[in-house]
Amino acid sequence: FTMSSATSTASLPSGLDVLTTFPDVLFIPEIVFGGLVWILVASSKVPLPIVQGWVMFVSVFCFVMSTALLCLYVCGAHGGSSSWVALVSGCDEP
């Protein structure tokens, strides 16, 4: 694996090259654990359903955004623009 950083954004990976940089490989466990959280929240029983609905919304939203960002990176939709680094950083910060 090679390290990519926000300071060296000369070329952002696209296609299957996304899976060769360490920060971008972290999309995979993020999607896996996001799916597990989604499943666990959906199967839990809580006394206030409105609370479960909010937690379910947040977990599904984060899961869908992570999956969409990975697909956009693989498709090369970023076009080499460095603003995509800021987008991914913003989505990963809670």
Side-chain angles (χ1 to χ4, degrees), residues 44-80:
S44 65
K45 297 194 185 304
V46 293
L48 295 172
I50 190 74
V51 175
Q52 185 179 17
W54 177 249
V55 174
M56 189 69 178
F57 167 76
V58 171
S59 65
V60 170
F61 178 77
C62 291
F63 177 78
V64 169
M65 286 302 295
S66 296
T67 305
L69 281 173
L70 178 63
C71 290
L72 289 172
Y73 261 100
V74 170
C75 292
H78 52 74

Side-chain angles (χ1 to χ4, degrees), residues 13-89:
S14 62
L16 293 180
D17 289 340
V18 170
L19 302 177
T20 60
T21 59
F22 181 72
D24 298 327
V25 165
L26 293 177
F27 271 122
I28 295 170
E30 184 177 342
I31 290 170
V32 169
F33 288 122
L36 289 174
V37 167
W38 185 9
I39 292 167
L40 291 172
V41 169
S43 66
S44 65
K45 297 194 185 304
V46 293
L48 295 172
I50 190 74
V51 175
Q52 185 179 17
W54 177 249
V55 174
M56 189 69 178
F57 167 76
V58 171
S59 65
V60 170
F61 178 77
C62 291
F63 177 78
V64 169
M65 286 302 295
S66 296
T67 305
L69 281 173
L70 178 63
C71 290
L72 289 172
Y73 261 100
V74 170
C75 292
H78 52 74
S81 173
S82 62
S83 62
W84 281 77
V85 175
L87 175 69
V88 171
S89 298

